[in-house]
Amino acid sequence: MGCLWGLLWPHFGVPHPKKTFKSPPNSSPHSEIDIWFPLVEQLEVPTSWWDAEADKSLLIGVFKHGYERYNTMRADPALCFLEKAGRPDEKAIAAEQRLDGGDG
């Protein structure tokens, strides 16, 4: 989490993750946040539509919503997944929110 914070803190302007905050620090669209990361071979991506934009959205999504909150990330209009993969089922989002108390 420290490395992820190091990549994203200049864009969100929040304290280190060990300091608590209750809501996402920023709702800027992924396209407005400049993050550098190495390109990967197409054979290493999880699906055919995955690209650098999806990598960036995944980093931002983990920072905003937490690790393994994939349905919540897919439903976030500030990330690319809503457009590329579609909105997940509402029951899946609700179940994911209940796993950790729904405060993220």
Side-chain angles (χ1 to χ4, degrees):
M1 185 67 162
C3 290
L4 181 60
W5 173 79
L7 287 171
L8 297 177
W9 79 267
H11 306 290
F12 292 115
V14 297
H16 194 275
K18 290 182 180 178
K19 298 181 180 174
T20 306
F21 56 88
K22 292 285 181 191
S23 61
N26 192 327
S27 294
S28 297
H30 69 280
S31 58
E32 293 179 9
I33 299 172
D34 186 27
I35 301 172
W36 179 89
F37 48 88
L39 297 176
V40 296
E41 296 292 325
Q42 188 65 24
L43 296 174
E44 298 176 20
V45 298
T47 188
S48 61
W49 54 260
W50 198 272
D51 57 12
E53 184 180 28
D55 282 336
K56 183 193 296 189
S57 287
L58 180 60
L59 286 173
I60 295 167
V62 169
F63 186 80
K64 286 176 66 177
H65 302 294
Y67 185 68
E68 293 187 349
R69 302 278 308 268
Y70 304 118
N71 291 307
T72 304
M73 289 181 222
R74 276 183 58 194
D76 186 339
L79 305 176
C80 75
F81 304 121
L82 188 58
E83 180 182 326
K84 291 180 181 253
R87 185 167 180 83
D89 181 79
E90 291 299 326
K91 289 181 182 178
I93 296 171
E96 193 172 82
Q97 301 276 327
R98 282 192 302 274
L99 289 177
D100 67 350
D103 62 342

